[in-house]
Amino acid sequence: MTPVERFRELLAIPTVSYVDPTRTDTARFDEFHAALERLYPLVHAHLEREIVAGHALLYRWRGASSLDPLLLLAHQDVVDTAGQPWTRDPFGAVVEGEGEDATLYARGAIDDKGALVAILEAVEQALTEGVVPHADVWLAFGHDEETLGEGARAIAALLAERGVRPALVLDEGGAVVEGALPGVGAPTAMIGVAERGSATFELIAREAGGHASTPPSFPATARLARAIDRVRRRPFPRRLVPPVRAMLASAAAHAPEPVRTVFRRTAVTAPVLTAAFALLGPETNALVRTTAVVTRLEGSAGDNVLATTARATVNVRLLTGETISDAAIHLRRAIDDPLIDIELRHGSDPSPVSPWQGTAWRRLAVAVAETLGDDVIPLPYLQLGASDSRFYTGLTDHVYRFTPFHLTRAERDALHAPDERIRVEVWLRGIGFYRALLAS
């Protein structure tokens, strides 16, 4: 079988995870594990494998030394496709087009089986060539990253207990993109040196209830709606945090004037930059402020019944330097209504910031240049979404988030959305990136 054929077979297994674990079909993960054993025989013959927390996978490839190991992360699970208007079967893993235009459509093609399978392909190739790594290589594949990340949490705890201190941890994250920053025309490898925190709050309005034919003047649903609108109209303040300052400083050398000076002199230009980033689009806005958005609403169970409890779920993504407590205080002030209860469901503060200089960073930068293009500029980046990497920051100061695929704007927009896809040639090049990293 070819690498693409193996990739398609694994994409066809719907390893969907749910917040409610009773909804998760664990048999699909068992099927996925069996397929990995069959498709990657050398990996499973030469690497030690453990199953952690039910279905998370941990592999150890022993090298010439156990000091300063490399830890590569990915996750097996994907998000649900129910209710999404896919134009292809999301688990059909069909390839359309030819040559450089050949594109593979499937849930998980990028997030995150693309990385998981590329890592295994790189290791299998290295084993075929008789490679022995200079230091141990660990592979950690969580099974519930899209929900609560308990698999990754358990693996990280296990590695900490064993005293494993990686020289470099790499998880999913930014990609190779174009046009990420105004004035920078060259493609950029957006390597996450930190990620925002994540918290889920519930806004709750209560009332006595009753029949909808005789509603009160200000029912719970109206009070909740007002609170939601206040959260939208009173956003978190804008700030230029260290990872974003580093990104701009690194990009300055590749930008024309006057953009170069604006990027370099952030001590002076920060107010202008943050205002511009807030207006340029959702991604740049998320780089300069904590964001909050309502994602779920709940009211009465009946069409003609007043809601005794109306709820809104607020997803908050925390900028570096802020905490869950800070977010709760902001929400309380923004809503300004003592009759709205604000309850924290779960969350984690932003990650520490990893250095964008030194040996670990250079390993990534060299692998990018060797395999993804010597014109690609490695940039430190603030990861906007949460990943399993947040559980591994206690093991080392060198945790990075980068997916080695050159993605268009449309391809990035398809993550968690209909018609997720990756160009075949782009995915194959990503295998080369992991192969180079293993050899570094």
Side-chain angles (χ1 to χ4, degrees), residues 340-390:
I340 293 289
D341 292 332
I342 302 174
E343 297 181 0
L344 174 67
R345 285 177 53 193
H346 54 79
S348 57
D349 287 330
S351 76
V353 181
S354 295
W356 47 89
Q357 295 176 335
T359 302
W361 177 266
R362 285 195 297 272
R363 288 178 70 180
L364 295 171
V366 169
V368 166
E370 289 180 349
T371 62
L372 305 181
D374 55 13
D375 61 331
V376 177
I377 306 165
L379 291 183
Y381 167 70
L382 176 61
Q383 171 90 348
L384 300 180
S387 68
D388 275 343
S389 69
R390 67 190 186 276

Short mmCIF file of all heavy atoms in Angstrom, two decimals, residues 340-390:
data_model
loop_
_atom_site.label_atom_id
_atom_site.label_comp_id
_atom_site.label_asym_id
_atom_site.label_seq_id
_atom_site.Cartn_x
_atom_site.Cartn_y
_atom_site.Cartn_z
N ILE A 340 -28.11 37.69 37.02
CA ILE A 340 -27.51 36.70 36.13
C ILE A 340 -26.40 35.98 36.89
O ILE A 340 -25.43 36.59 37.34
CB ILE A 340 -26.92 37.36 34.86
CG1 ILE A 340 -28.03 37.95 33.97
CG2 ILE A 340 -26.09 36.35 34.07
CD1 ILE A 340 -28.88 36.91 33.27
N ASP A 341 -26.55 34.67 37.05
CA ASP A 341 -25.50 33.87 37.67
C ASP A 341 -24.45 33.51 36.63
O ASP A 341 -24.79 33.19 35.49
CB ASP A 341 -26.08 32.59 38.27
CG ASP A 341 -26.98 32.86 39.46
OD1 ASP A 341 -26.77 33.88 40.14
OD2 ASP A 341 -27.90 32.05 39.68
N ILE A 342 -23.19 33.56 37.05
CA ILE A 342 -22.09 33.18 36.16
C ILE A 342 -21.35 32.02 36.80
O ILE A 342 -20.79 32.16 37.89
CB ILE A 342 -21.13 34.37 35.92
CG1 ILE A 342 -21.89 35.56 35.33
CG2 ILE A 342 -19.98 33.95 35.01
CD1 ILE A 342 -21.04 36.81 35.20
N GLU A 343 -21.38 30.88 36.14
CA GLU A 343 -20.77 29.67 36.70
C GLU A 343 -19.69 29.13 35.76
O GLU A 343 -19.92 29.04 34.55
CB GLU A 343 -21.84 28.59 36.94
CG GLU A 343 -22.90 29.00 37.96
CD GLU A 343 -23.92 27.90 38.19
OE1 GLU A 343 -23.81 26.82 37.54
OE2 GLU A 343 -24.84 28.11 39.00
N LEU A 344 -18.55 28.79 36.32
CA LEU A 344 -17.47 28.18 35.55
C LEU A 344 -17.71 26.68 35.44
O LEU A 344 -17.87 26.00 36.45
CB LEU A 344 -16.12 28.44 36.23
CG LEU A 344 -14.91 27.74 35.60
CD1 LEU A 344 -14.61 28.31 34.22
CD2 LEU A 344 -13.69 27.87 36.52
N ARG A 345 -17.75 26.17 34.22
CA ARG A 345 -17.91 24.72 34.01
C ARG A 345 -16.56 24.02 34.02
O ARG A 345 -16.35 23.02 34.68
CB ARG A 345 -18.64 24.46 32.70
CG ARG A 345 -20.15 24.75 32.79
CD ARG A 345 -20.84 24.56 31.45
NE ARG A 345 -20.56 23.25 30.87
CZ ARG A 345 -20.85 22.93 29.60
NH1 ARG A 345 -21.42 23.82 28.81
NH2 ARG A 345 -20.58 21.73 29.15
N HIS A 346 -15.61 24.53 33.23
CA HIS A 346 -14.26 23.98 33.22
C HIS A 346 -13.35 24.97 32.48
O HIS A 346 -13.83 25.87 31.80
CB HIS A 346 -14.20 22.59 32.55
CG HIS A 346 -14.80 22.55 31.18
ND1 HIS A 346 -14.13 22.99 30.06
CD2 HIS A 346 -16.01 22.13 30.74
CE1 HIS A 346 -14.90 22.82 29.00
NE2 HIS A 346 -16.05 22.31 29.38
N GLY A 347 -12.06 24.78 32.63
CA GLY A 347 -11.15 25.67 31.94
C GLY A 347 -9.70 25.46 32.35
O GLY A 347 -9.40 24.75 33.31
N SER A 348 -8.81 26.08 31.59
CA SER A 348 -7.38 26.06 31.89
C SER A 348 -6.79 27.40 31.50
O SER A 348 -7.19 28.00 30.49
CB SER A 348 -6.67 24.93 31.14
OG SER A 348 -6.87 25.05 29.74
N ASP A 349 -5.85 27.87 32.30
CA ASP A 349 -5.21 29.15 32.03
C ASP A 349 -4.28 29.03 30.82
O ASP A 349 -3.94 27.92 30.38
CB ASP A 349 -4.41 29.60 33.25
CG ASP A 349 -5.30 30.08 34.39
OD1 ASP A 349 -6.39 30.60 34.10
OD2 ASP A 349 -4.91 29.94 35.56
N PRO A 350 -3.85 30.17 30.25
CA PRO A 350 -2.92 30.12 29.11
C PRO A 350 -1.64 29.37 29.45
O PRO A 350 -1.21 29.31 30.61
CB PRO A 350 -2.65 31.61 28.83
CG PRO A 350 -3.83 32.33 29.37
CD PRO A 350 -4.25 31.55 30.58
N SER A 351 -1.02 28.83 28.43
CA SER A 351 0.22 28.07 28.63
C SER A 351 1.38 29.00 28.90
O SER A 351 1.34 30.20 28.58
CB SER A 351 0.52 27.25 27.37
OG SER A 351 1.04 28.11 26.34
N PRO A 352 2.47 28.47 29.46
CA PRO A 352 3.72 29.24 29.50
C PRO A 352 4.20 29.51 28.07
O PRO A 352 3.75 28.87 27.11
CB PRO A 352 4.68 28.31 30.25
CG PRO A 352 3.82 27.31 30.94
CD PRO A 352 2.60 27.16 30.09
N VAL A 353 5.14 30.43 27.94
CA VAL A 353 5.69 30.80 26.63
C VAL A 353 7.03 30.11 26.45
O VAL A 353 7.93 30.25 27.28
CB VAL A 353 5.85 32.33 26.51
CG1 VAL A 353 6.40 32.69 25.13
CG2 VAL A 353 4.50 33.03 26.74
N SER A 354 7.16 29.35 25.37
CA SER A 354 8.43 28.68 25.06
C SER A 354 9.35 29.63 24.29
O SER A 354 8.88 30.53 23.59
CB SER A 354 8.16 27.42 24.22
OG SER A 354 7.43 26.47 24.97
N PRO A 355 10.66 29.44 24.40
CA PRO A 355 11.60 30.36 23.73
C PRO A 355 11.59 30.21 22.21
O PRO A 355 11.36 29.11 21.69
CB PRO A 355 12.96 29.96 24.31
CG PRO A 355 12.79 28.56 24.78
CD PRO A 355 11.37 28.43 25.21
N TRP A 356 11.82 31.31 21.53
CA TRP A 356 11.90 31.29 20.06
C TRP A 356 13.34 31.46 19.60
O TRP A 356 13.63 31.90 18.50
CB TRP A 356 11.00 32.35 19.44
CG TRP A 356 11.11 33.71 20.06
CD1 TRP A 356 11.96 34.70 19.72
CD2 TRP A 356 10.32 34.21 21.14
NE1 TRP A 356 11.76 35.79 20.52
CE2 TRP A 356 10.75 35.53 21.40
CE3 TRP A 356 9.28 33.68 21.92
CZ2 TRP A 356 10.18 36.32 22.40
CZ3 TRP A 356 8.72 34.46 22.91
CH2 TRP A 356 9.16 35.76 23.14
N GLN A 357 14.25 31.05 20.46
CA GLN A 357 15.67 30.95 20.14
C GLN A 357 16.19 29.70 20.82
O GLN A 357 15.52 29.11 21.65
CB GLN A 357 16.44 32.18 20.65
CG GLN A 357 16.05 33.48 19.97
CD GLN A 357 16.78 34.67 20.56
OE1 GLN A 357 17.20 34.64 21.72
NE2 GLN A 357 16.92 35.74 19.79
N GLY A 358 17.39 29.25 20.45
CA GLY A 358 17.99 28.11 21.10
C GLY A 358 17.89 26.84 20.27
O GLY A 358 17.35 26.83 19.15
N THR A 359 18.36 25.74 20.84
CA THR A 359 18.50 24.48 20.11
C THR A 359 17.16 23.94 19.62
O THR A 359 17.03 23.52 18.46
CB THR A 359 19.20 23.43 20.99
OG1 THR A 359 20.48 23.93 21.40
CG2 THR A 359 19.38 22.12 20.22
N ALA A 360 16.16 23.90 20.49
CA ALA A 360 14.87 23.32 20.11
C ALA A 360 14.25 24.11 18.97
O ALA A 360 13.74 23.53 17.99
CB ALA A 360 13.93 23.29 21.32
N TRP A 361 14.28 25.44 19.06
CA TRP A 361 13.73 26.27 17.99
C TRP A 361 14.49 26.05 16.68
O TRP A 361 13.88 25.94 15.61
CB TRP A 361 13.76 27.74 18.40
CG TRP A 361 13.27 28.65 17.31
CD1 TRP A 361 14.02 29.31 16.38
CD2 TRP A 361 11.91 28.97 17.01
NE1 TRP A 361 13.22 30.03 15.53
CE2 TRP A 361 11.93 29.84 15.89
CE3 TRP A 361 10.69 28.61 17.59
CZ2 TRP A 361 10.76 30.35 15.33
CZ3 TRP A 361 9.53 29.12 17.02
CH2 TRP A 361 9.56 29.97 15.92
N ARG A 362 15.82 25.97 16.76
CA ARG A 362 16.61 25.77 15.54
C ARG A 362 16.30 24.44 14.89
O ARG A 362 16.28 24.34 13.65
CB ARG A 362 18.10 25.87 15.86
CG ARG A 362 18.59 27.30 16.09
CD ARG A 362 20.11 27.38 16.03
NE ARG A 362 20.72 26.59 17.10
CZ ARG A 362 20.98 27.06 18.32
NH1 ARG A 362 20.66 28.31 18.63
NH2 ARG A 362 21.55 26.29 19.23
N ARG A 363 16.04 23.39 15.67
CA ARG A 363 15.68 22.10 15.08
C ARG A 363 14.43 22.23 14.21
O ARG A 363 14.36 21.69 13.10
CB ARG A 363 15.44 21.05 16.17
CG ARG A 363 16.68 20.57 16.87
CD ARG A 363 16.34 19.57 17.96
NE ARG A 363 15.88 18.29 17.42
CZ ARG A 363 15.53 17.26 18.18
NH1 ARG A 363 15.58 17.37 19.51
NH2 ARG A 363 15.14 16.12 17.63
N LEU A 364 13.45 22.95 14.72
CA LEU A 364 12.22 23.16 13.95
C LEU A 364 12.48 24.01 12.72
O LEU A 364 12.01 23.69 11.62
CB LEU A 364 11.16 23.82 14.83
CG LEU A 364 10.66 22.99 16.02
CD1 LEU A 364 9.78 23.85 16.92
CD2 LEU A 364 9.89 21.76 15.54
N ALA A 365 13.23 25.09 12.89
CA ALA A 365 13.49 26.00 11.77
C ALA A 365 14.26 25.30 10.66
O ALA A 365 13.98 25.48 9.46
CB ALA A 365 14.26 27.22 12.26
N VAL A 366 15.24 24.48 11.02
CA VAL A 366 16.03 23.76 10.01
C VAL A 366 15.16 22.74 9.28
O VAL A 366 15.24 22.60 8.05
CB VAL A 366 17.25 23.07 10.67
CG1 VAL A 366 17.91 22.09 9.70
CG2 VAL A 366 18.26 24.12 11.13
N ALA A 367 14.31 22.02 10.01
CA ALA A 367 13.42 21.04 9.36
C ALA A 367 12.46 21.74 8.40
O ALA A 367 12.16 21.21 7.32
CB ALA A 367 12.66 20.25 10.41
N VAL A 368 11.99 22.91 8.78
CA VAL A 368 11.12 23.69 7.88
C VAL A 368 11.86 24.03 6.60
O VAL A 368 11.36 23.81 5.48
CB VAL A 368 10.62 24.97 8.58
CG1 VAL A 368 10.01 25.94 7.56
CG2 VAL A 368 9.60 24.64 9.66
N ALA A 369 13.07 24.58 6.72
CA ALA A 369 13.84 25.00 5.55
C ALA A 369 14.19 23.82 4.65
O ALA A 369 14.14 23.93 3.42
CB ALA A 369 15.11 25.72 6.00
N GLU A 370 14.54 22.68 5.27
CA GLU A 370 14.97 21.53 4.48
C GLU A 370 13.84 20.86 3.72
O GLU A 370 14.07 20.28 2.65
CB GLU A 370 15.63 20.50 5.40
CG GLU A 370 16.99 20.91 5.93
CD GLU A 370 17.58 19.84 6.83
OE1 GLU A 370 16.84 18.89 7.19
OE2 GLU A 370 18.78 19.94 7.17
N THR A 371 12.62 20.94 4.24
CA THR A 371 11.54 20.13 3.66
C THR A 371 10.34 20.94 3.15
O THR A 371 9.62 20.47 2.27
CB THR A 371 11.02 19.10 4.69
OG1 THR A 371 10.49 19.80 5.83
CG2 THR A 371 12.15 18.19 5.15
N LEU A 372 10.13 22.11 3.69
CA LEU A 372 8.94 22.88 3.32
C LEU A 372 9.27 24.08 2.46
O LEU A 372 8.37 24.77 1.97
CB LEU A 372 8.18 23.32 4.58
CG LEU A 372 7.79 22.19 5.53
CD1 LEU A 372 7.03 22.75 6.73
CD2 LEU A 372 6.94 21.13 4.82
N GLY A 373 10.57 24.36 2.27
CA GLY A 373 10.98 25.46 1.41
C GLY A 373 11.91 26.41 2.11
O GLY A 373 11.60 26.89 3.22
N ASP A 374 13.08 26.70 1.49
CA ASP A 374 14.02 27.61 2.14
C ASP A 374 13.56 29.06 2.08
O ASP A 374 14.18 29.94 2.67
CB ASP A 374 15.42 27.47 1.53
CG ASP A 374 15.42 27.66 0.02
OD1 ASP A 374 14.40 28.13 -0.54
OD2 ASP A 374 16.45 27.33 -0.61
N ASP A 375 12.44 29.31 1.38
CA ASP A 375 11.85 30.65 1.37
C ASP A 375 10.79 30.82 2.46
O ASP A 375 10.26 31.92 2.64
CB ASP A 375 11.23 30.95 0.01
CG ASP A 375 10.08 29.99 -0.34
OD1 ASP A 375 10.12 28.83 0.13
OD2 ASP A 375 9.17 30.39 -1.07
N VAL A 376 10.49 29.74 3.19
CA VAL A 376 9.48 29.79 4.24
C VAL A 376 10.11 30.39 5.50
O VAL A 376 11.16 29.93 5.95
CB VAL A 376 8.90 28.39 4.53
CG1 VAL A 376 7.90 28.46 5.68
CG2 VAL A 376 8.23 27.83 3.27
N ILE A 377 9.45 31.39 6.07
CA ILE A 377 9.98 32.09 7.24
C ILE A 377 9.38 31.51 8.51
O ILE A 377 8.17 31.59 8.71
CB ILE A 377 9.64 33.59 7.17
CG1 ILE A 377 10.11 34.20 5.84
CG2 ILE A 377 10.23 34.34 8.35
CD1 ILE A 377 9.49 35.55 5.56
N PRO A 378 10.19 30.91 9.41
CA PRO A 378 9.64 30.44 10.69
C PRO A 378 9.34 31.63 11.60
O PRO A 378 10.21 32.46 11.85
CB PRO A 378 10.77 29.58 11.27
CG PRO A 378 11.75 29.39 10.15
CD PRO A 378 11.61 30.57 9.26
N LEU A 379 8.12 31.72 12.08
CA LEU A 379 7.72 32.81 12.96
C LEU A 379 7.16 32.26 14.26
O LEU A 379 6.33 31.35 14.24
CB LEU A 379 6.65 33.69 12.31
CG LEU A 379 7.04 34.55 11.11
CD1 LEU A 379 5.84 35.38 10.67
CD2 LEU A 379 8.22 35.45 11.43
N PRO A 380 7.58 32.81 15.41
CA PRO A 380 6.89 32.47 16.67
C PRO A 380 5.46 32.98 16.60
O PRO A 380 5.19 34.02 15.97
CB PRO A 380 7.71 33.19 17.73
CG PRO A 380 8.42 34.28 17.00
CD PRO A 380 8.65 33.78 15.61
N TYR A 381 4.55 32.28 17.25
CA TYR A 381 3.13 32.52 17.02
C TYR A 381 2.37 32.17 18.29
O TYR A 381 2.77 31.27 19.04
CB TYR A 381 2.70 31.64 15.85
CG TYR A 381 1.23 31.47 15.59
CD1 TYR A 381 0.46 32.52 15.12
CD2 TYR A 381 0.61 30.24 15.79
CE1 TYR A 381 -0.89 32.35 14.84
CE2 TYR A 381 -0.74 30.06 15.52
CZ TYR A 381 -1.49 31.12 15.04
OH TYR A 381 -2.82 30.96 14.78
N LEU A 382 1.30 32.90 18.55
CA LEU A 382 0.40 32.57 19.65
C LEU A 382 -0.71 31.68 19.13
O LEU A 382 -1.53 32.13 18.32
CB LEU A 382 -0.19 33.84 20.26
CG LEU A 382 -1.22 33.61 21.38
CD1 LEU A 382 -0.60 32.88 22.56
CD2 LEU A 382 -1.83 34.94 21.82
N GLN A 383 -0.71 30.43 19.56
CA GLN A 383 -1.73 29.48 19.13
C GLN A 383 -3.09 29.92 19.66
O GLN A 383 -3.26 30.17 20.85
CB GLN A 383 -1.39 28.09 19.67
CG GLN A 383 -2.47 27.05 19.50
CD GLN A 383 -2.33 26.30 18.20
OE1 GLN A 383 -1.58 26.69 17.33
NE2 GLN A 383 -3.06 25.23 18.07
N LEU A 384 -4.07 30.03 18.76
CA LEU A 384 -5.36 30.58 19.15
C LEU A 384 -6.25 29.54 19.82
O LEU A 384 -7.03 29.87 20.72
CB LEU A 384 -6.05 31.18 17.92
CG LEU A 384 -5.28 32.31 17.24
CD1 LEU A 384 -6.06 32.83 16.04
CD2 LEU A 384 -4.97 33.43 18.21
N GLY A 385 -6.19 28.30 19.38
CA GLY A 385 -7.01 27.24 19.97
C GLY A 385 -6.21 26.43 20.98
O GLY A 385 -4.98 26.52 21.05
N ALA A 386 -6.93 25.64 21.74
CA ALA A 386 -6.27 24.76 22.73
C ALA A 386 -5.87 23.45 22.08
O ALA A 386 -6.51 22.99 21.14
CB ALA A 386 -7.21 24.51 23.90
N SER A 387 -4.82 22.85 22.58
CA SER A 387 -4.35 21.56 22.07
C SER A 387 -3.93 20.70 23.25
O SER A 387 -3.82 21.16 24.39
CB SER A 387 -3.18 21.76 21.10
OG SER A 387 -2.04 22.22 21.81
N ASP A 388 -3.63 19.44 22.96
CA ASP A 388 -3.14 18.54 24.02
C ASP A 388 -1.82 19.01 24.61
O ASP A 388 -1.46 18.62 25.72
CB ASP A 388 -2.96 17.13 23.45
CG ASP A 388 -4.25 16.32 23.46
OD1 ASP A 388 -5.19 16.71 24.17
OD2 ASP A 388 -4.31 15.28 22.75
N SER A 389 -1.09 19.86 23.89
CA SER A 389 0.24 20.29 24.35
C SER A 389 0.18 20.97 25.71
O SER A 389 1.18 20.99 26.43
CB SER A 389 0.88 21.22 23.33
OG SER A 389 0.19 22.46 23.27
N ARG A 390 -0.96 21.54 26.07
CA ARG A 390 -1.05 22.27 27.35
C ARG A 390 -0.78 21.38 28.55
O ARG A 390 -0.37 21.86 29.60
CB ARG A 390 -2.42 22.94 27.48
CG ARG A 390 -3.61 22.00 27.63
CD ARG A 390 -4.91 22.78 27.51
NE ARG A 390 -6.12 22.01 27.77
CZ ARG A 390 -6.73 21.26 26.87
NH1 ARG A 390 -6.23 21.16 25.64
NH2 ARG A 390 -7.83 20.60 27.17
#
